[in-house]
Amino acid sequence: MAAAYHAPYLGVAYYPEDWDVSEIDSDIAKMKEAGINTARIGEFAWYKMEPEPGRYEFGWLHDVVDRLGAAGIAVVMGTPSATPPRWLSKLYPDIMQSDENGIRKQHGGRRHCCSNNPHYREYSARIARKLGEEFGRDEHIIGWQIDNEIYTDVGCFCPNCVGKFAEYLREKYGNIDNLNRAWNLNLFSQAYDSFADIPTPARAWVNPHHKMEWKIFHNSCHIDFVHMQADILRPLTDAPIGTDTMPFRRMDYRHMTEKLDIVQFNHYNTEANLWNAAMWMDHLRTLKDRPFWVTETATCWNGSVDINQDLKPEGFCRANSWMPLALGGEANMYWLWRTHWAGHELTHGSVLSSSGRPMHIFHEVQRLSREYALAADFLQNTKVKTAAALHYSALNYNIAGEQSVLNTLTYDKAVSSFYCPMICQGLRPDMIDARQPLDSYKLIVSPMMMTLEEDDLAERMAKWVQDGGVWVVGPMSDIRTEIGTKYTDRPYGMLEKLCGVRWKYDIPDRKHYLHAVWKDGTPFGECDWYELFEADEDALVTVTDGYSSAEGLAPVIMKNIGKGAVIIVGALMSEENRRRILTLACERAGIRLPEVSGDSILVCPRAGEGREGVILVEHAGRGGTYRCEKPMLDLLSGKEYSGVITLAPYDVLVLE
């Protein structure tokens, strides 16, 4: 990597293959005018790189990289495996994915090939190797992006995938008797005589464990496809290697990034749900010990052949672009630099229009470039600092996705129901998976961890609580094994034993028959679900009436265990109640909540290298206030603040 290129990176996706060579210098000049210092290129240009089998043409690409580099613009190079050329699908029609009816996809889109197909893998490996040989030591290349937005929907049903799925199950379960027993296939006479007998889970009332394994299998195949390319590139380059991911929770991003150097993330959230992108960033920063990159976000709206979003308020682009840096990233890149003039996504928002003229947000991009430079030293020498965490797990998402218990409760809804009140109260949680080390946290919230068997999480959480941690356990947690089955000898895997409580039964109550009160007599309000325990002096909430056998039972209990505590939350309740529980948990954990008003200010404490401060981002256009505990300097404006600060809609302050 050339020493001239330094984070933070303000970048764009650029497609020089779409434009006449005479346009390139003008585009680069306007990038400089906008303050852009990074360009992502190459991700969809396989045909221009390899116009026919084995004939590689990289001269045009070297020319673009050299021109960008000469202008001081760094390059992220993409491998083009998401868009194989037509000659490849003509040579090997079987590279295209098959649906559940055996019908193959047609050429003309992207990510429409089977990640398990040997021909597709062979040619994807070849082009990745050739790119690495050509550009791996190029001084202008600061990073690599493998493929594009790889994830599983329903999966590929080609014979190759069906055969590999059977082998995946054989490796996991050992023999068919183990699988039949684990999935309870005596039910409905579903038992199989061999792994080869197991069909695809297509259009039928299929065993939920079968469906879950099918989706996990396909995600693991995509991960293997990405890792294959990373293994090829690694000896050819010193620049960090990643793959640009989308927010799809079925994918195990810890597993995905194991063989990668950097986490890359694409999102297109609006002012209505920008908090959701923040939640993802709170997760992604935990996966690697280096800042992540937002590789795609919109300057304005999303669109393909029509525009499916609207004008975002002035300042939104600034808040959206500051959020990744505040939350532990070092790059924010826009999709795209210049709107396509024909074909797919020709209505998508951009920095320049198809005619090369600046869009309405151009001045915000220029401002961001100046502000990134002002805060660069602080950003590079500090990291997000937090003592709180929130559990999320791809395995738990997949279990809940096939057996959600309540059809009104999705895994996303369960996680966000605790994440939103946490950030509204000024907490900055890491969103951690089951493999994350626990020692740095004082408070951990598990909104819906249906299984705790993943990576010995149950044992590690028990020890962490004994050592002083405070654990808030949400509804429907610890109720499944690692493959999604129930326990037959107890309702929970470990909660009853750890806390010394006894579960009585679960009650769905969407008609709100039951009534309950807090220990101080305050009404608890309506709940859609109750997990009820025998009450004792540690009950925080007790059922008063509505069903005689439920009266006197407790849906919320706090138990002191060793040096720590567990708060079992067995109710799907109001946000007001969740805030009350979180406040109690913070007090017990010794976490001081900042003084923040409103519900739309991201509070991002940062520290490192003897420096400390906080970045504030107003993310929803409603404004609010924050109280400084001591005088602080805003690195963007040079203004000193003390006491209560008022933030305008989409305001950003970098306080040290």
Side-chain angles (χ1 to χ4, degrees):
M1 188 193 315
Y5 301 120
H6 299 289
Y9 301 115
L10 184 62
V12 291
Y14 184 42
Y15 299 92
E17 66 271 22
D18 294 352
W19 303 95
D20 189 274
V21 68
S22 63
E23 301 273 1
I24 294 175
D25 286 339
S26 174
D27 276 330
I28 292 173
K30 287 189 175 73
M31 287 182 198
K32 293 293 291 182
E33 184 183 350
I36 297 300
N37 62 17
T38 310
R40 291 170 55 234
I41 65 174
E43 63 178 350
F44 300 140
W46 191 339
Y47 178 74
K48 192 158 185 178
M49 296 176 188
E50 189 180 7
E52 59 185 49
R55 181 166 68 86
Y56 300 98
E57 294 187 357
F58 294 116
W60 67 275
L61 197 53
H62 278 292
D63 180 58
V64 173
V65 171
D66 291 344
R67 292 194 200 195
L68 288 165
I73 298 172
V75 174
V76 177
M77 182 64 73
T79 70
S81 51
T83 55
R86 180 64 176 127
W87 56 255
L88 183 55
S89 60
K90 287 170 68 177
L91 272 176
Y92 302 106
D94 64 335
I95 71 171
M96 310 303 286
Q97 291 178 11
S98 295
D99 68 14
E100 59 265 36
N101 297 309
I103 299 173
R104 294 194 183 279
K105 291 186 177 181
Q106 298 297 306
H107 185 86
R110 68 188 192 207
R111 282 270 89 250
H112 46 11
C113 291
C114 173
S115 293
N116 289 318
N117 183 273
H119 299 124
Y120 175 54
R121 290 174 66 91
E122 176 189 357
Y123 280 84
S124 296
R126 286 184 188 180
I127 193 67
R129 181 173 291 105
K130 287 293 183 181
L131 270 172
E133 291 169 353
E134 289 284 332
F135 295 97
R137 306 299 176 190
D138 192 300
E139 63 177 346
H140 304 307
I141 304 296
I142 64 163
W144 291 82
Q145 171 197 309
I146 293 173
D147 207 86
N148 173 258
E149 297 176 355
I150 191 167
Y151 60 92
T152 291
D153 186 11
V154 296
C156 175
F157 295 80
C158 73
N160 192 38
C161 284
V162 174
K164 290 183 75 70
F165 179 56
E167 290 306 310
Y168 161 83
L169 294 175
R170 185 192 307 278
E171 183 176 344
K172 181 167 184 175
Y173 291 94
N175 61 61
I176 198 64
D177 291 336
N178 290 340
L179 182 142
N180 286 331
R181 188 179 308 108
W183 290 6
N184 189 24
L185 295 188
N186 285 326
L187 184 67
F188 296 175
S189 294
Q190 289 181 329
Y192 302 110
D193 295 321
S194 72
F195 288 102
D197 286 342
I198 300 175
T200 62
R203 296 189 306 163
W205 190 21
V206 176
N207 188 295
H209 314 297
H210 187 174
K211 292 174 67 177
M212 185 185 81
E213 294 287 18
W214 175 258
K215 290 172 180 175
I216 292 174
F217 158 72
H218 271 289
N219 279 323
S220 68
C221 295
H222 291 321
I223 290 170
D224 180 71
F225 180 76
V226 169
H227 287 179
M228 173 196 73
Q229 294 191 49
D231 289 342
I232 290 168
L233 288 172
R234 182 149 288 105
L236 302 174
T237 185
D238 295 322
I241 301 166
T243 183
D244 61 329
T245 55
M246 287 288 278
F248 295 105
R249 300 191 199 284
R250 285 196 185 278
M251 181 67 76
D252 185 338
Y253 291 111
R254 173 81 65 175
H255 183 197
M256 171 69 84
T257 56
E258 280 174 348
K259 284 194 171 186
L260 305 180
D261 306 309
I262 193 165
V263 178
Q264 301 171 347
F265 176 61
N266 300 349
H267 80 93
Y268 291 94
N269 293 74
T270 69
E271 63 272 29
N273 63 359
L274 193 55
W275 62 267
N276 189 266
M279 182 166 67
W280 270 97
M281 294 174 198
D282 282 333
H283 174 53
L284 298 174
R285 72 163 173 268
T286 69
L287 300 179
K288 290 287 179 184
D289 189 23
R290 64 163 298 161
F292 63 85
W293 292 355
V294 167
T295 31
E296 289 186 23
T297 190
T299 50
C300 24
W301 47 77
N302 205 333
S304 182
V305 294
D306 58 16
I307 296 171
N308 56 34
Q309 293 180 0
D310 208 338
L311 173 70
K312 298 183 178 78
E314 186 158 9
F316 175 86
C317 180
R318 179 178 179 237
N320 179 41
S321 305
W322 259 108
M323 196 168 69
L325 274 64
L327 294 174
E330 66 177 9
N332 186 76
M333 306 184 196
Y334 301 118
W335 204 91
L336 68 172
W337 167 244
R338 187 171 174 181
T339 304
H340 297 317
W341 58 273
H344 293 294
E345 299 178 301
L346 76 172
T347 63
H348 202 289
S350 56
V351 184
L352 300 187
S353 68
S354 303
S355 58
R357 297 181 181 180
M359 294 289 286
H360 61 286
I361 43 70
F362 197 80
H363 68 290
E364 287 195 52
V365 177
Q366 290 176 311
R367 179 180 182 179
L368 284 158
S369 176
R370 295 191 297 269
E371 290 182 341
Y372 280 16
L374 289 169
D377 189 59
F378 177 73
L379 293 168
Q380 291 172 12
N381 288 285
T382 60
K383 294 182 178 180
V384 175
K385 180 181 179 182
T386 180
L390 182 86
H391 265 137
Y392 145 76
S393 153
L395 175 61
N396 275 279
Y397 180 95
N398 281 302
I399 292 174
E402 304 309 330
Q403 38 184 320
S404 59
V405 184
L406 281 185
N407 60 9
T408 54
L409 181 68
T410 65
Y411 192 73
D412 285 349
K413 186 176 180 180
V415 173
S416 63
S417 71
F418 274 95
Y419 177 82
C420 288
M422 289 178 84
I423 66 171
C424 289
Q425 290 175 284
L427 277 174
R428 176 82 280 120
D430 282 349
M431 192 165 83
I432 62 174
D433 64 7
R435 280 163 278 183
Q436 182 76 8
L438 306 174
D439 295 346
S440 64
Y441 303 114
K442 297 179 179 179
L443 167 66
I444 296 177
V445 179
S446 300
M448 188 181 180
M449 293 292 278
M450 296 182 78
T451 183
L452 298 177
E453 292 185 358
E454 186 180 7
D455 292 281
D456 300 318
L457 181 60
E459 292 81 359
R460 293 191 294 116
M461 288 301 299
K463 182 181 184 304
W464 176 81
V465 170
Q466 293 277 357
D467 291 343
V470 176
W471 185 18
V472 177
V473 187
M476 303 176 198
S477 294
D478 194 32
I479 62 172
R480 295 286 192 269
T481 68
E482 195 167 7
I483 63 168
T485 60
K486 289 183 177 180
Y487 298 99
T488 59
D489 60 343
R490 60 197 190 278
Y492 297 97
M494 54 84 81
L495 274 177
E496 277 191 321
K497 183 177 180 181
L498 175 67
C499 299
V501 297
R502 183 171 177 79
W503 171 88
K504 293 288 286 184
Y505 28 69
D506 300 330
I507 296 178
D509 189 26
R510 283 170 287 200
K511 293 183 179 179
H512 304 136
Y513 291 116
L514 299 190
H515 302 99
V517 297
W518 285 92
K519 202 168 189 176
D520 63 6
T522 305
F524 189 59
E526 297 176 340
C527 298
D528 288 357
W529 174 264
Y530 291 91
E531 294 164 17
L532 296 175
F533 300 86
E534 293 179 350
D536 58 19
E537 67 277 3
D538 295 316
L540 299 180
V541 177
T542 306
V543 174
T544 56
D545 62 272
Y547 203 93
S548 59
S549 60
E551 292 174 10
L553 300 180
V556 183
I557 295 176
M558 179 173 174
K559 288 286 184 178
N560 291 311
I561 299 168
K563 298 178 182 177
V566 177
I567 302 177
I568 301 177
V569 181
L572 291 176
M573 55 195 178
S574 67
E575 181 165 327
E576 179 183 356
N577 283 332
R578 288 191 292 271
R579 288 193 185 209
R580 181 168 177 171
I581 287 171
L582 289 169
T583 299
L584 176 64
C586 286
E587 290 173 355
R588 179 64 177 81
I591 295 176
R592 183 176 179 183
L593 289 168
E595 293 185 42
V596 58
S597 74
D599 60 359
S600 58
I601 296 176
L602 296 178
V603 179
C604 312
R606 296 180 65 105
E609 303 295 328
R611 305 174 71 171
E612 63 177 325
V614 61
I615 302 179
L616 306 175
V617 180
E618 203 290 321
H619 64 84
R622 294 191 286 268
T625 65
Y626 173 85
R627 177 181 289 276
C628 293
E629 295 183 355
K630 53 188 174 184
M632 305 189 83
L633 175 69
D634 177 24
L635 301 180
L636 305 184
S637 66
K639 183 177 178 180
E640 291 188 0
Y641 288 93
S642 61
V644 176
I645 303 172
T646 299
L647 281 84
Y650 305 114
D651 210 353
V652 178
L653 298 175
V654 181
L655 302 173
E656 184 177 16

